[in-house]
Coordinates of all heavy atoms in Angstrom, one line a residue:
A168 N -61.4 25.6 -30.8 CA -62.0 26.9 -30.6 C -63.4 26.9 -30.1 O -63.8 27.5 -29.2 CB -62.2 27.6 -32.1
H169 N -64.1 25.7 -30.5 CA -65.4 25.4 -29.9 C -65.3 25.1 -28.4 O -66.1 25.6 -27.6 CB -66.0 24.2 -30.6 CG -67.3 23.7 -30.0 ND1 -68.5 24.4 -30.3 CD2 -67.6 22.7 -29.1 CE1 -69.5 23.7 -29.6 NE2 -68.9 22.7 -28.9
Y170 N -64.2 24.4 -28.0 CA -64.0 24.1 -26.5 C -63.9 25.5 -25.8 O -64.5 25.7 -24.8 CB -62.8 23.3 -26.3 CG -62.0 23.6 -25.1 CD1 -62.5 23.1 -23.9 CD2 -60.9 24.5 -25.1 CE1 -61.8 23.5 -22.6 CE2 -60.3 24.8 -23.9 CZ -60.7 24.4 -22.7 OH -60.1 24.7 -21.5
Y171 N -63.2 26.5 -26.3 CA -62.9 27.7 -25.6 C -64.2 28.5 -25.4 O -64.5 29.0 -24.4 CB -62.0 28.6 -26.3 CG -60.5 28.3 -26.0 CD1 -59.6 27.9 -27.0 CD2 -60.0 28.5 -24.8 CE1 -58.2 27.7 -26.7 CE2 -58.7 28.3 -24.4 CZ -57.8 27.9 -25.4 OH -56.5 27.7 -25.1
L172 N -65.1 28.3 -26.5 CA -66.4 29.1 -26.4 C -67.3 28.4 -25.5 O -67.9 29.1 -24.6 CB -67.0 29.2 -27.9 CG -68.2 30.1 -28.0 CD1 -67.8 31.6 -27.6 CD2 -68.8 30.0 -29.4
E173 N -67.4 27.0 -25.6 CA -68.4 26.3 -24.8 C -67.9 26.3 -23.2 O -68.7 26.4 -22.4 CB -68.6 24.9 -25.4 CG -69.7 24.2 -24.7 CD -70.0 22.9 -25.4 OE1 -70.9 22.9 -26.3 OE2 -69.5 21.9 -24.9
S174 N -66.7 25.9 -23.0 CA -66.3 25.7 -21.7 C -65.7 26.9 -21.0 O -65.9 26.9 -19.8 CB -65.2 24.5 -21.7 OG -65.7 23.4 -22.0
E175 N -65.1 27.8 -21.7 CA -64.6 29.0 -21.0 C -65.3 30.3 -21.4 O -64.9 31.3 -21.0 CB -63.1 29.0 -21.3 CG -62.3 27.8 -20.9 CD -60.9 28.0 -20.8 OE1 -60.4 29.0 -20.9 OE2 -60.2 26.9 -20.7
Q176 N -66.3 30.2 -22.2 CA -67.1 31.3 -22.7 C -66.0 32.4 -23.2 O -66.2 33.6 -23.0 CB -67.9 32.0 -21.6 CG -69.1 31.1 -21.2 CD -68.8 29.9 -20.4 OE1 -68.1 30.2 -19.4 NE2 -69.2 28.8 -20.8
C177 N -65.1 31.9 -23.9 CA -64.0 32.8 -24.4 C -63.8 32.7 -26.0 O -63.4 31.8 -26.5 CB -62.7 32.3 -23.8 SG -61.3 33.4 -23.9
P178 N -64.4 33.7 -26.7 CA -64.4 33.7 -28.2 C -62.9 33.6 -28.6 O -62.1 34.3 -28.3 CB -65.0 35.0 -28.5 CG -65.9 35.4 -27.5 CD -65.2 34.9 -26.2
T179 N -62.6 32.5 -29.5 CA -61.3 32.3 -29.9 C -61.2 31.9 -31.4 O -62.0 31.1 -31.8 CB -60.8 31.0 -29.1 OG1 -60.8 31.4 -27.7 CG2 -59.3 30.7 -29.4
I180 N -60.3 32.4 -32.0 CA -60.1 32.2 -33.5 C -58.8 31.4 -33.4 O -57.8 31.7 -32.9 CB -59.9 33.4 -34.3 CG1 -61.1 34.3 -34.2 CG2 -59.6 33.1 -35.8 CD1 -60.9 35.7 -34.6
L181 N -58.9 30.1 -34.0 CA -57.7 29.2 -34.0 C -57.6 28.6 -35.4 O -58.6 28.0 -35.9 CB -58.0 28.2 -33.0 CG -56.8 27.1 -32.7 CD1 -55.5 27.9 -32.2 CD2 -57.2 26.1 -31.6
G182 N -56.5 28.7 -36.0 CA -56.2 28.0 -37.3 C -54.9 27.2 -37.1 O -54.0 27.7 -36.5
A183 N -54.8 25.9 -37.6 CA -53.7 25.1 -37.5 C -53.6 24.4 -38.8 O -54.5 23.9 -39.3 CB -53.8 24.2 -36.3
G184 N -52.4 24.1 -39.3 CA -52.2 23.4 -40.5 C -50.8 22.6 -40.6 O -49.8 23.0 -39.9
V185 N -50.8 21.6 -41.5 CA -49.6 20.9 -41.7 C -49.5 20.7 -43.3 O -50.5 20.3 -43.9 CB -49.5 19.5 -41.0 CG1 -48.2 18.7 -41.5 CG2 -49.7 19.6 -39.5
H186 N -48.4 21.2 -43.9 CA -48.3 21.0 -45.3 C -47.3 19.9 -45.6 O -46.1 20.0 -45.2 CB -47.8 22.4 -45.9 CG -47.9 22.5 -47.4 ND1 -49.1 22.3 -48.1 CD2 -46.9 22.7 -48.2 CE1 -48.8 22.4 -49.3 NE2 -47.6 22.6 -49.5
L187 N -47.7 19.0 -46.4 CA -46.9 17.8 -46.8 C -46.4 17.9 -48.2 O -47.2 18.4 -49.1 CB -47.5 16.5 -46.5 CG -48.1 16.2 -45.1 CD1 -48.7 14.8 -45.1 CD2 -46.9 16.3 -44.0
S188 N -45.2 17.4 -48.5 CA -44.9 17.1 -49.9 C -45.7 15.9 -50.5 O -46.3 15.2 -49.7 CB -43.4 16.9 -50.1 OG -43.2 15.6 -49.5
K189 N -45.7 15.7 -51.8 CA -46.4 14.5 -52.4 C -45.8 13.2 -51.8 O -46.6 12.3 -51.7 CB -46.2 14.5 -53.8 CG -47.1 15.5 -54.5 CD -47.1 15.3 -56.0 CE -48.0 16.4 -56.6 NZ -47.5 16.9 -57.8
S190 N -44.6 13.2 -51.3 CA -44.0 11.9 -50.7 C -44.4 11.9 -49.2 O -43.9 10.9 -48.6 CB -42.6 11.8 -51.0 OG -41.9 13.0 -50.5
G191 N -45.0 12.9 -48.7 CA -45.4 12.8 -47.2 C -44.4 13.5 -46.4 O -44.6 13.5 -45.1
E192 N -43.4 14.2 -46.9 CA -42.4 15.0 -46.1 C -43.1 16.2 -45.4 O -43.9 16.9 -46.1 CB -41.2 15.3 -46.8 CG -40.1 15.9 -46.0 CD -39.1 16.6 -46.9 OE1 -39.2 16.5 -48.1 OE2 -38.3 17.4 -46.4
V193 N -42.8 16.6 -44.1 CA -43.5 17.7 -43.6 C -42.6 19.0 -44.1 O -41.5 19.1 -43.9 CB -43.4 17.7 -42.1 CG1 -44.0 18.9 -41.4 CG2 -44.1 16.4 -41.5
L194 N -43.4 19.8 -44.8 CA -42.7 21.1 -45.4 C -43.0 22.3 -44.5 O -42.2 23.2 -44.5 CB -43.2 21.3 -46.8 CG -43.0 20.2 -47.8 CD1 -43.6 20.6 -49.1 CD2 -41.5 19.9 -47.9
G195 N -44.1 22.3 -43.8 CA -44.5 23.5 -42.9 C -45.6 23.0 -42.0 O -46.6 22.4 -42.4
A196 N -45.5 23.5 -40.7 CA -46.6 23.2 -39.8 C -46.6 24.4 -38.7 O -45.5 24.9 -38.3 CB -46.3 21.9 -39.0
G197 N -47.9 24.8 -38.4 CA -48.0 25.9 -37.6 C -49.4 26.1 -37.2 O -50.3 25.5 -37.7
A198 N -49.6 27.2 -36.3 CA -50.9 27.5 -35.8 C -50.9 29.0 -35.4 O -49.9 29.6 -35.2 CB -51.4 26.6 -34.6
I199 N -52.2 29.6 -35.4 CA -52.3 31.0 -34.9 C -53.5 31.0 -34.0 O -54.6 30.2 -34.2 CB -52.6 32.0 -36.0 CG1 -52.5 33.4 -35.5 CG2 -53.7 31.6 -37.0 CD1 -52.4 34.4 -36.5
L200 N -53.4 31.7 -32.9 CA -54.7 31.8 -31.9 C -54.8 33.3 -31.7 O -53.9 34.0 -31.5 CB -54.3 31.1 -30.6 CG -55.2 31.3 -29.5 CD1 -55.4 30.0 -28.7 CD2 -54.7 32.3 -28.5
I201 N -56.1 33.7 -31.8 CA -56.5 35.1 -31.5 C -57.6 34.9 -30.5 O -58.7 34.3 -30.9 CB -56.9 35.9 -32.8 CG1 -55.7 36.0 -33.6 CG2 -57.4 37.3 -32.4 CD1 -56.0 36.2 -35.1
Q202 N -57.4 35.5 -29.4 CA -58.4 35.2 -28.3 C -58.8 36.5 -27.5 O -57.9 37.3 -27.2 CB -57.9 34.2 -27.3 CG -58.7 33.8 -26.3 CD -58.2 32.7 -25.5 OE1 -57.2 32.8 -24.7 NE2 -58.7 31.4 -25.5
K203 N -60.1 36.7 -27.3 CA -60.6 37.8 -26.5 C -60.1 37.7 -25.1 O -60.3 36.6 -24.5 CB -62.1 37.8 -26.6 CG -62.8 39.2 -26.4 CD -64.2 39.0 -26.9 CE -65.0 40.2 -26.4 NZ -66.4 40.1 -26.8
I204 N -59.5 38.6 -24.5 CA -59.2 38.5 -23.1 C -60.3 38.7 -22.2 O -61.2 39.6 -22.4 CB -58.2 39.8 -22.7 CG1 -56.9 39.7 -23.5 CG2 -57.8 39.8 -21.3 CD1 -56.0 38.5 -23.3
A205 N -60.5 37.7 -21.3 CA -61.7 37.6 -20.4 C -61.9 38.9 -19.6 O -61.1 39.5 -19.2 CB -61.5 36.5 -19.5
G206 N -63.1 39.3 -19.7 CA -63.6 40.5 -19.0 C -63.5 41.8 -19.7 O -63.9 42.8 -19.4
D207 N -62.8 41.7 -20.9 CA -62.7 42.9 -21.8 C -63.8 42.9 -22.8 O -63.7 42.2 -23.8 CB -61.3 43.0 -22.5 CG -61.0 44.4 -22.9 OD1 -62.0 45.0 -23.5 OD2 -59.9 44.8 -22.8
E208 N -64.7 43.8 -22.6 CA -65.9 43.9 -23.6 C -65.8 45.0 -24.7 O -66.7 45.1 -25.4 CB -67.2 44.1 -22.7 CG -67.5 43.0 -21.7 CD -67.4 41.6 -22.1 OE1 -67.8 41.4 -23.3 OE2 -67.0 40.8 -21.5
D209 N -64.6 45.7 -24.6 CA -64.5 46.9 -25.5 C -64.2 46.5 -27.0 O -64.3 47.4 -27.8 CB -63.4 47.8 -25.0 CG -63.9 48.4 -23.6 OD1 -65.0 48.3 -23.4 OD2 -62.9 48.9 -22.9
I210 N -63.7 45.3 -27.2 CA -63.2 45.0 -28.5 C -64.4 45.1 -29.5 O -65.4 44.6 -29.3 CB -62.5 43.6 -28.6 CG1 -61.9 43.4 -29.9 CG2 -63.5 42.5 -28.2 CD1 -60.6 44.0 -30.1
D211 N -64.0 45.7 -30.7 CA -65.0 45.9 -31.8 C -65.3 44.7 -32.4 O -64.4 43.9 -32.8 CB -64.4 47.0 -32.7 CG -65.4 47.5 -33.7 OD1 -66.4 46.8 -33.9 OD2 -65.2 48.7 -34.1
E212 N -66.5 44.2 -32.7 CA -66.8 43.0 -33.4 C -66.2 43.0 -34.7 O -65.8 41.9 -35.3 CB -68.3 42.8 -33.4 CG -69.0 42.4 -32.1 CD -68.5 41.0 -31.6 OE1 -68.2 40.1 -32.5 OE2 -68.2 40.9 -30.4
E213 N -66.0 44.1 -35.4 CA -65.5 44.1 -36.7 C -64.0 43.6 -36.8 O -63.6 43.0 -37.7 CB -65.5 45.6 -37.3 CG -66.9 45.9 -37.9 CD -66.9 47.3 -38.4 OE1 -65.8 47.9 -38.7 OE2 -68.0 47.8 -38.6
I214 N -63.3 43.9 -35.6 CA -62.0 43.6 -35.5 C -61.9 42.0 -35.4 O -61.1 41.4 -36.1 CB -61.3 44.2 -34.2 CG1 -61.1 45.7 -34.5 CG2 -59.9 43.6 -34.0 CD1 -60.6 46.5 -33.4
L215 N -62.7 41.5 -34.6 CA -62.8 39.9 -34.5 C -63.2 39.4 -35.8 O -62.5 38.4 -36.3 CB -63.8 39.5 -33.4 CG -63.5 39.7 -32.0 CD1 -64.6 39.3 -31.1 CD2 -62.2 38.8 -31.6
E216 N -64.1 40.0 -36.6 CA -64.5 39.4 -37.9 C -63.4 39.5 -38.8 O -63.2 38.6 -39.7 CB -65.8 40.2 -38.4 CG -67.0 39.8 -37.7 CD -68.1 40.8 -38.0 OE1 -68.0 41.5 -39.0 OE2 -69.2 40.7 -37.3
H217 N -62.6 40.6 -38.8 CA -61.4 40.7 -39.7 C -60.5 39.6 -39.5 O -60.1 38.9 -40.5 CB -60.7 42.0 -39.4 CG -59.3 42.1 -39.9 ND1 -59.1 42.5 -41.2 CD2 -58.1 41.7 -39.3 CE1 -57.7 42.4 -41.5 NE2 -57.1 41.9 -40.3
Y218 N -60.1 39.3 -38.2 CA -59.2 38.1 -37.9 C -59.8 36.8 -38.3 O -59.1 36.0 -38.8 CB -58.7 38.2 -36.4 CG -57.7 39.2 -36.2 CD1 -58.0 40.5 -35.4 CD2 -56.5 39.3 -36.8 CE1 -57.1 41.4 -35.2 CE2 -55.6 40.4 -36.7 CZ -55.9 41.3 -35.9 OH -55.0 42.4 -35.7
E219 N -61.0 36.7 -38.0 CA -61.7 35.4 -38.4 C -61.6 35.1 -39.8 O -61.3 34.1 -40.2 CB -63.2 35.4 -37.9 CG -63.9 34.1 -37.9 CD -64.9 34.0 -36.9 OE1 -65.4 35.0 -36.3 OE2 -65.2 32.8 -36.5
Q220 N -61.9 36.2 -40.6 CA -61.9 35.9 -42.0 C -60.4 35.8 -42.6 O -60.2 35.0 -43.4 CB -62.4 37.3 -42.7 CG -62.8 37.1 -44.1 CD -62.0 38.0 -45.0 OE1 -61.6 39.1 -44.6 NE2 -61.8 37.7 -46.2
Q221 N -59.5 36.5 -41.9 CA -58.1 36.3 -42.3 C -57.7 34.8 -42.0 O -57.0 34.2 -42.9 CB -57.2 37.2 -41.5 CG -57.3 38.6 -41.8 CD -56.7 39.0 -43.3 OE1 -55.7 38.4 -43.6 NE2 -57.4 39.8 -44.0
V222 N -58.1 34.3 -40.9 CA -57.6 33.0 -40.5 C -58.3 31.9 -41.3 O -57.7 31.0 -41.7 CB -57.7 32.7 -39.0 CG1 -57.5 31.2 -38.5 CG2 -56.7 33.6 -38.2
S223 N -59.6 32.1 -41.5 CA -60.3 31.0 -42.2 C -60.1 31.0 -43.7 O -60.0 30.0 -44.3 CB -61.8 31.1 -41.8 OG -62.3 32.4 -42.2
D224 N -59.9 32.3 -44.3 CA -59.9 32.3 -45.8 C -58.5 32.6 -46.4 O -58.2 32.1 -47.5 CB -60.8 33.5 -46.4 CG -62.3 33.2 -45.9 OD1 -62.6 32.1 -45.5 OD2 -63.1 34.1 -45.9
N225 N -57.7 33.4 -45.7 CA -56.5 33.9 -46.3 C -55.2 33.3 -45.8 O -54.1 33.5 -46.4 CB -56.4 35.4 -46.2 CG -57.6 36.0 -46.9 OD1 -58.2 35.5 -47.8 ND2 -58.0 37.2 -46.4
L226 N -55.3 32.7 -44.6 CA -54.0 32.6 -43.9 C -53.1 31.4 -44.5 O -52.0 31.6 -44.9 CB -54.3 32.3 -42.4 CG -53.0 32.2 -41.6 CD1 -52.2 33.5 -41.7 CD2 -53.3 31.9 -40.2

Side-chain angles (χ1 to χ4, degrees):
H169 174 77
Y170 146 78
Y171 274 120
L172 191 62
E173 190 173 273
S174 294
E175 301 196 9
Q176 289 77 50
C177 190
T179 302
I180 299 159
L181 183 61
V185 177
H186 189 62
L187 301 181
S188 70
K189 280 189 180 142
S190 61
E192 188 195 350
V193 181
L194 301 177
I199 184 164
L200 171 142
I201 298 155
Q202 187 173 66
K203 209 166 161 178
I204 298 293
D207 196 320
E208 303 305 326
D209 294 339
I210 187 80
D211 196 331
E212 282 302 318
E213 277 180 19
I214 293 175
L215 282 175
E216 280 166 20
H217 163 86
Y218 285 113
E219 191 148 20
Q220 196 241 332
Q221 290 290 320
V222 171
S223 61
D224 299 342
N225 301 332
L226 188 57

